Amino acid sequence: MKTLLMTGASRGLGRIAAEKILRDRPDVHLVVTARGGTLGGDLAESTGNPNVTALTCDLMSKNAVRAAAVDLAGRLDSGALPPLHGFVGNAGLQLTSRAHATEDGIEPTFAVNVLANHLFVRLLWCRFTAPGRIVLVGSDTHFGDLRHNLGMVPAPRWEPVAELARPRPDARTATDGRRAYSTGKLAVLYLVHALARRLPDGIDAYTFNPGYVPGTGLVRDAGPAVRFLSRTLLRALTATPLAMSAASAGALLAEAAVGPRPGESGVYIDRRTVTPSAPASYDRDREEELWHGLCALDPVEML
């Protein structure tokens, strides 16, 4: 038996992936994060597999992420859970502005999409057991071109890490919020590349891109018109190469998490294929800048 920690398993492709892992892999004990509720019991009931544990965690809060990591480390060390072999950072957030702040004073998109993943991996660094795998969910919006995002999301705009993490009270448009999302997904690639250079042998790091998946709840902060389009008309795109259903994307995420090794550590998995990410995503200076900037935002020690 082995333990896999996963964020964002309550809905959308994350829920599909969690259920598929529980149904197909009896050797995996799935640990999921949730802000509350009955997610663990719901997953056990829907799959018939009791090997699932829910940890209460608000991914916008550094203290909550730390508390969840401490809880998990204690269960691993006591033998209550099998050794930790993987982490799937699937939770994602896209807001309609850059003006909001978490309790820690951090812009929420950056807090959830980037910082929380970094914190979990750093805090649990010494608990990962080879062969292990870290999968962070990215997005082809990091390309910043019409071909990859249908013009719906503006191109990333890189800034120093402290600026990316800082709320902007004057950045109150949907364009600001979407650009924060695409920039955060570029940061995910930088984080994966930095991890691939640092993780011990036998622990791999990958970026998984599900493509456009309408109706998952990612745009739940958007206006009524955008939410309606995502639930209805844009779902028709899943019949084309331009989009993918939550069921298909979730199955591919499960494969990336627990399937055969997809490639060398650090690669970009675009749906089901290992392929190059955008040229801008291979900037080692930015990768190192991000790593050290994230460490400065929360200088925690490994548990």
Side-chain angles (χ1 to χ4, degrees), residues 269-284:
I269 308 167
D270 182 16
R271 299 162 178 87
R272 57 177 59 85
T273 305
V274 172
T275 188
S277 49
S281 69
Y282 298 98
D283 187 322
R284 185 156 179 163

Side-chain angles (χ1 to χ4, degrees), residues 69-83 124 126-127 303:
V70 169
D71 186 355
L72 178 56
R75 299 183 195 215
L76 293 166
D77 293 348
S78 71
L81 289 175
L124 296 167
C126 296
R127 301 302 192 290
L303 298 176

Side-chain angles (χ1 to χ4, degrees), residues 157-214:
R157 181 179 295 158
W158 193 251
E159 301 175 90
V161 176
E163 289 301 305
L164 293 176
R166 184 171 67 86
R168 298 286 184 83
D170 58 336
R172 293 187 172 277
T173 69
T175 297
D176 293 317
R178 291 171 188 156
R179 192 184 301 278
Y181 177 80
S182 64
T183 305
K185 291 304 183 179
L186 178 60
V188 165
L189 278 149
Y190 291 151
L191 177 55
V192 166
H193 295 163
L195 283 169
R197 289 194 292 273
R198 289 171 166 83
L199 288 166
D201 290 343
I203 310 296
D204 295 325
Y206 300 108
T207 306
F208 169 76
N209 169 42
Y212 179 54
V213 186

Side-chain angles (χ1 to χ4, degrees), residues 84-142:
L84 179 65
H85 283 261
F87 171 68
V88 178
N90 170 65
L93 186 66
Q94 181 178 303
L95 301 177
T96 53
S97 80
R98 246 184 100 177
H100 302 291
T102 69
E103 64 183 30
D104 303 304
I106 296 172
E107 195 280 315
T109 308
F110 190 82
V112 172
N113 297 2
V114 185
L115 181 58
N117 290 325
H118 179 258
L119 275 176
F120 267 126
V121 174
R122 273 181 59 217
L123 287 163
L124 296 167
W125 192 277
C126 296
R127 301 302 192 290
F128 285 105
T129 303
R133 190 177 303 178
I134 293 164
V135 178
L136 304 186
V137 173
S139 167
D140 44 17
T141 60
H142 83 274

